[in-house]
Amino acid sequence: MARMKKATRKYEKNHLKDTIDRRKDVAKIKQRNQIKDKKRAKRAKENGDAEDDQDGEVKKGPSNGEDAFGDMTVDDFFEGGFEIPEDPQAKKSVKAKKAEKGSKTSAKRKRSDVDEQQGDDGSSVSLLEHTAAPSDSGSGSESGEDLGTHKGELDALAEKDPEFYKHLKDNDPELLNFGDLAEVDQLSGSDGEDTVPKKKRKKAKKEAAPQDLQEEADFEEKDDDTEVTVAMVQKWRAALVDVHSLRAMRQVVLAFRAAVHVNEEDGIAYKYAISSPDVYHDLLLLTLQEVPRVLNHHLPVKESGSGKLRVSTDSKKFRTLTPLLKSHSSSVNHLLTTLSDAPTLKVALESLTSLLPYLLSFKKLLRNLIKTVVGIWSDGSSAEATRVVAFLAIRRLAVVGDSGIREAVLKTAYQGLVKGSRNTTIHTLQGINLMKNSAAELWGLDQTVGYTTGFTFVRQLAIHLRGSITNPTKESYKTVYNWQYVHSLDFWSRVLSMHCDAFEEASAGAESALRPLIYPTVQITLGALRLIPTSTYFPLRFQLTRSLLRISRASGTYIPLAPALLEVLHSAEMKKPPKPSTLKPLDFSTSIRAPKAYLRTRVYQDGVGEQVGELFGEFFALWTKSVAFPELCLPITVALKRWLKDTSPSSQARSNGKRPSNKGNKNSKLSSALHLLTQKLSANASFIEQRRATLDFAPDNRAAVAAFLAELPWQGTPLGAFVEGQRAVRAEKARLVEAGRREEARKRGQGEDGNEGDGDGDEGMAEGASEEEASDEE
């Protein structure tokens, strides 16, 4: 490319912009002038044709050669009504005078029309010009022709000067877009045609009203007093139950609206007032029970073959009842936020569940209802039966709604779950598990929507973990090491284990849409449990290990959990001898952080050793029938035996005739439990080796490998029988603990709200982290 000349660069820098602006202004003026000239030329042509048509008539006028307009001025001509002067003798006749008088009257009307339609040049337009004036359709075609001509000129400009056309297109695109004006003209011209007289609109509305709304007028209350009485409630009940009266339903809805806002100073005047508690209770029950039945009678909900529910929302009756539906639903939503009585709350939720098919087209109202119902479902103070009914309402909405509603339900339910799991104690744990199990079911209703929402939430967990790792401050780990984060990871493990079950996928013949979430969830969980590897957060490590075991058990995915458990055994907490303590055992099911008083104590070391032995047994029980079990358990067996040897040197010293040293944890209970575990692992490995000694297939035969010991239950193996026995012992222990807790709650009259072990939230878990880390490690 040739180098630009200096003069060209100077011109471009100093004068190009001004030149382009001038050309732009000139082009606009030129376009306007061209349009004006074409309009004038067309009018002149039409006016000339009209004059030619009138010449013959004018020539047939007076033949005496006199100029009929000679003595007239312009003002006299206009005042004469544009009439051609007649014979003086004819003017004297009465008949001519009457005709002249009528013609003057019509001429005034014509002149007013002429003044409105004068041209741009301000010249007078004669009667002949108005005779040939174009109609409305003609003017429309004229504007269309002008727009077409203008478009052709722009196309020619694009060919002749493409640079200037491109500049106009980039800097002033409105100058090139005249086509939209035609559409605006059409819309504005059609406004008058669509206008319907007011009387006709009233008549059409009266004819289109449903017949059910034209019921007898005796249900229209004409009392001066708006106080609702028992007699009025009974009258409404009879009307709703017997004849399904829409008029009575309207009055009941208005009274219900006043009832739910009773004793509220919101500045709104309601038609009815309720002061009696009995009337209030009867009115609430009547509205919540009968209004859905009346709606179902007039607008029945139809179910399709695929199980979808459909309501005729395009019918006139539905459009008529829409304001009533919105008002009643808003009142029910307000009532749910104020109720504290469990039976009434349950009735209100059941009534709302019946109304959901009618509310699917009201997105904003549905969002408010979802938030309210999810708030009841996630509230730890709500009764269990009430929370179950609230979940049924949420599930019903997710089933009958479209994908957008399902996404809103899933997002709101997850937010409610996270909010409701902030404080975890032995009294709230059962309710939190209820929430996690019930919410996990929602993600299986539409797995496509479930995957998109699940990916978003799992990604948020990953972002929090990455922030804690990349920005290691004193407070950064608090975003991960709290109950909400732990419950979130545990929730996703329940979702994946419920909907990615290997047996269900085999029966369905296709993998679950949620299976791609297994890998990121496992990676985040492994990263979280290793974020702070101190003994203070061993309870959190055990919580997350159980979540990973759940995923591995259901999906058949191998997750390497043994190294994380070996790290616990090799910590300073488990190698040194513990201090005696009178503290009660720590409840690991409701703890993610060990209090400082428990560290280096015998009771804490026994508890950690019990958890490690249990989790080792559960992990290897998943693969107890695997053909590769001997190779899988060999490194762990060697590591456990080495740990037992290092932490119990006294027995070896006595066997050698030497004085025992003070090294080792001197915890015989822990050592015996791990020694028993190694024996069971070795026995199970020998069992598998005996069974696979007679096999005649290679490891690359995946089908034969998967069918190895398929007919044998996992409890039939040495390790499986051991794990099953340990589960029975723990179940009995948990039953006794639960019975004691209930007995204590019964004696005290209510359950304790104090936190057992760890219920201090996010801040309490991080207290004294630096001292604990220093005291945990050598």
Side-chain angles (χ1 to χ4, degrees):
M1 182 176 179
R3 185 177 180 182
M4 187 180 298
K5 295 182 179 180
K6 183 176 180 180
T8 304
R9 292 197 302 271
K10 187 175 181 181
Y11 175 81
E12 181 180 1
K13 178 180 179 181
N14 300 328
H15 305 288
L16 180 61
K17 186 176 183 303
D18 296 336
T19 304
I20 292 176
D21 292 339
R22 284 196 302 271
R23 292 177 68 179
K24 176 180 173 181
D25 296 338
V26 170
K28 289 183 180 179
I29 297 173
K30 185 177 180 181
Q31 288 171 358
R32 288 197 296 268
N33 291 336
Q34 287 177 351
I35 293 175
K36 278 187 178 182
D37 293 341
K38 289 180 181 179
K39 287 183 179 179
R40 289 173 184 170
K42 190 166 186 176
R43 282 199 300 269
K45 182 179 179 181
E46 292 174 350
N47 295 339
D49 294 339
E51 289 178 0
D52 293 341
D53 294 339
Q54 295 292 333
D55 282 345
E57 298 179 3
V58 174
K59 288 178 180 179
K60 292 180 182 178
S63 57
N64 54 2
E66 295 181 1
D67 188 3
F69 303 97
D71 298 334
M72 281 189 179
T73 63
V74 176
D75 295 335
D76 294 337
F77 174 76
F78 282 110
E79 290 178 359
F82 300 163
E83 290 290 326
I84 299 175
E86 297 189 7
D87 227 318
Q89 298 177 356
K91 292 181 181 179
K92 296 179 181 180
S93 63
V94 179
K95 185 175 181 181
K97 290 181 180 179
K98 291 182 179 180
E100 183 180 2
K101 186 177 181 180
S103 65
K104 286 182 180 181
T105 304
S106 62
K108 290 179 180 179
R109 290 194 299 268
K110 292 180 181 179
R111 186 165 61 249
S112 63
D113 296 337
V114 169
D115 293 340
E116 294 176 359
Q117 300 181 17
Q118 285 184 354
D120 296 335
D121 55 354
S123 61
S124 301
V125 184
S126 65
L127 176 64
L128 299 178
E129 292 175 341
H130 285 283
T131 304
S135 61
D136 294 338
S137 62
S139 63
S141 62
E142 177 182 346
S143 61
E145 293 176 1
D146 293 339
L147 291 173
T149 306
H150 178 63
K151 185 177 180 181
E153 293 176 354
L154 292 177
D155 294 338
L157 178 64
E159 295 178 358
K160 294 180 180 179
D161 195 350
E163 295 181 358
F164 181 66
Y165 183 85
K166 184 179 180 181
H167 174 77
L168 291 179
K169 188 174 181 180
D170 295 339
N171 296 277
D172 196 1
E174 296 180 357
L175 184 63
L176 306 178
N177 296 333
F178 279 82
D180 298 337
L181 298 177
E183 298 179 3
V184 176
D185 293 339
Q186 292 176 2
L187 293 175
S188 60
S190 61
D191 292 340
E193 299 175 1
D194 297 338
T195 304
V196 181
K198 188 175 181 181
K199 293 183 178 180
K200 291 186 177 181
R201 289 201 305 269
K202 288 184 177 180
K203 183 177 179 181
K205 183 177 181 181
K206 185 175 181 181
E207 293 175 354
Q211 184 178 0
D212 300 292
L213 295 179
Q214 307 296 331
E215 297 175 351
E216 58 272 16
D218 56 346
F219 295 114
E220 185 69 34
E221 298 295 338
K222 298 180 181 179
D223 305 309
D224 295 334
D225 187 11
T226 57
E227 180 72 23
V228 180
T229 61
V230 177
M232 294 171 62
V233 176
Q234 295 299 330
K235 185 178 181 180
W236 289 337
R237 183 183 297 275
L240 293 176
V241 175
D242 297 339
V243 297
H244 304 287
S245 171
L246 289 176
R247 188 178 298 276
M249 187 184 74
R250 174 181 174 274
Q251 295 171 356
V252 168
V253 169
L254 292 177
F256 178 74
R257 182 187 178 193
V260 300
H261 292 87
V262 69
N263 298 329
E264 293 183 6
E265 298 179 359
D266 51 4
I268 301 176
Y270 298 101
K271 182 178 180 181
Y272 297 99
I274 298 95
S275 59
S276 173
D278 296 334
V279 173
Y280 178 84
H281 183 264
D282 294 343
L283 179 62
L284 254 61
L285 291 181
L286 172 65
T287 309
L288 296 175
Q289 292 174 355
E290 298 301 331
V291 168
R293 297 176 186 173
V294 176
L295 284 174
N296 191 48
H297 174 78
H298 293 282
L299 293 171
V301 179
K302 300 178 182 179
E303 184 174 359
S304 62
S306 59
K308 295 292 183 180
L309 300 181
R310 186 178 64 86
V311 179
S312 180
T313 56
D314 54 348
S315 63
K316 296 179 180 178
K317 187 178 291 186
F318 182 84
R319 291 195 295 269
T320 306
L321 294 176
T322 293
L324 203 64
L325 270 171
K326 289 184 177 180
S327 175
H328 179 60
S329 302
S330 301
S331 300
V332 174
N333 184 35
H334 184 76
L335 178 66
L336 291 174
T337 60
T338 58
L339 278 180
S340 58
D341 182 48
T344 310
L345 193 59
K346 183 179 178 182
V347 173
L349 288 171
E350 291 175 348
S351 177
L352 179 62
T353 304
S354 304
L355 295 175
L356 291 178
Y358 303 99
L359 306 177
L360 296 179
S361 56
F362 311 134
K363 304 295 184 182
K364 185 177 180 180
L365 179 61
L366 272 183
R367 285 196 295 268
N368 296 331
L369 288 174
I370 293 171
K371 291 181 181 178
T372 303
V373 178
V374 168
I376 298 172
W377 168 72
S378 61
D379 188 5
S381 61
S382 300
E384 184 176 349
T386 304
R387 301 176 77 175
V388 171
V389 176
F391 168 73
L392 293 178
I394 299 171
R395 187 183 185 279
R396 171 79 167 175
L397 183 58
V399 170
V400 302
D402 55 10
S403 58
I405 295 177
R406 292 193 192 99
E407 184 176 358
V409 168
L410 294 180
K411 290 182 177 180
T412 311
Y414 182 76
Q415 293 170 358
L417 170 65
V418 174
K419 182 180 179 181
S421 61
R422 181 179 180 86
N423 186 24
T424 303
T425 66
I426 191 173
H427 306 288
T428 61
L429 182 61
Q430 186 176 2
I432 294 174
N433 288 333
L434 173 65
M435 282 196 299
K436 289 190 287 189
N437 290 328
S438 56
E441 183 182 351
L442 297 177
W443 260 260
L445 299 177
D446 189 345
Q447 294 191 1
T448 302
V449 177
Y451 172 77
T452 56
T453 55
F455 180 83
T456 303
F457 293 132
V458 172
R459 182 175 177 271
Q460 289 178 354
L461 297 175
I463 291 173
H464 289 312
L465 178 61
R466 184 184 64 181
S468 299
I469 296 174
T470 57
N471 301 316
T473 63
K474 187 176 180 180
E475 304 293 329
S476 62
Y477 73 97
K478 291 183 180 180
T479 59
V480 176
Y481 275 31
N482 57 73
W483 270 119
Q484 292 174 312
Y485 197 91
V486 172
H487 282 304
S488 298
L489 290 176
D490 185 70
F491 167 71
W492 290 115
S493 73
R494 293 173 189 262
V495 171
L496 297 176
S497 63
M498 184 179 295
H499 304 295
C500 300
D501 188 84
F503 296 102
E504 293 183 1
E505 290 178 342
S507 60
E511 285 189 353
S512 172
L514 299 174
R515 182 167 279 270
L517 293 177
I518 292 179
Y519 180 77
T521 304
V522 171
Q523 290 296 102
I524 295 170
T525 308
L526 290 174
L529 65 85
R530 284 193 169 102
L531 183 61
I532 300 180
T534 60
S535 60
T536 304
Y537 291 101
F538 282 167
L540 182 142
R541 178 174 295 219
F542 298 149
Q543 295 275 2
L544 298 182
T545 303
R546 295 181 190 278
S547 300
L548 294 177
L549 282 173
R550 185 183 297 111
I551 297 177
S552 183
R553 183 183 300 112
S555 63
T557 304
Y558 174 76
I559 302 174
L561 297 176
L565 297 175
L566 285 176
E567 291 176 4
V568 174
L569 291 177
H570 288 92
S571 64
E573 182 73 28
M574 304 302 293
K575 284 186 176 181
K576 291 186 177 182
K579 298 179 296 184
S581 175
T582 58
L583 297 172
K584 63 179 181 180
L586 181 65
D587 188 1
F588 286 88
S589 63
T590 58
S591 302
I592 59 174
R593 171 180 173 270
K596 191 174 182 179
Y598 278 85
L599 300 179
R600 301 289 176 83
T601 61
R602 177 66 177 266
V603 65
Y604 185 60
Q605 191 178 86
D606 290 344
V608 171
E610 183 180 350
Q611 293 290 315
V612 170
E614 175 190 345
L615 294 175
F616 264 128
E618 294 290 340
F619 170 70
F620 284 110
L622 299 178
W623 316 104
T624 183
K625 297 194 303 178
S626 173
V627 70
F629 184 84
E631 290 75 18
L632 177 65
C633 73
L634 179 61
I636 307 302
T637 304
V638 173
L640 289 176
K641 290 181 178 180
R642 183 177 296 135
W643 185 87
L644 290 172
K645 181 181 178 180
D646 293 340
T647 56
S648 303
S650 57
S651 59
Q652 182 181 5
R654 289 194 185 97
S655 63
N656 296 333
K658 297 181 182 180
R659 183 179 179 181
S661 63
N662 293 327
K663 294 183 178 180
N665 61 2
K666 299 181 181 180
N667 193 334
S668 59
K669 181 180 178 180
L670 174 60
S671 300
S672 61
L674 294 180
H675 183 69
L676 180 60
L677 177 63
T678 56
Q679 288 180 351
K680 296 300 179 181
L681 291 177
S682 301
N684 201 85
S686 301
F687 175 78
I688 297 298
E689 289 177 350
Q690 292 176 3
R691 292 299 186 99
R692 73 181 185 182
T694 59
L695 298 181
D696 56 353
F697 58 84
D700 59 350
N701 190 347
R702 302 297 297 274
V705 170
F708 178 71
L709 297 182
E711 72 286 351
L712 180 69
W714 69 275
Q715 297 89 342
T717 61
L719 181 61
F722 170 73
V723 171
E724 186 181 22
Q726 294 295 317
R727 287 182 181 178
V729 173
R730 289 193 299 270
E732 180 64 19
K733 182 179 178 181
R735 187 187 66 81
L736 294 176
V737 172
E738 180 66 18
R741 185 188 66 84
R742 291 184 178 181
E743 181 66 20
E744 182 183 359
R746 186 186 65 82
K747 290 180 180 180
R748 302 179 62 177
Q750 59 183 0
E752 291 185 16
D753 294 330
N755 190 350
E756 304 249 342
D758 182 35
D760 49 354
D762 303 347
E763 291 78 15
M765 292 180 294
E767 186 179 355
S770 58
E771 293 100 6
E772 293 160 3
E773 293 178 11
S775 62
D776 284 342
E777 301 296 336
E778 290 183 339

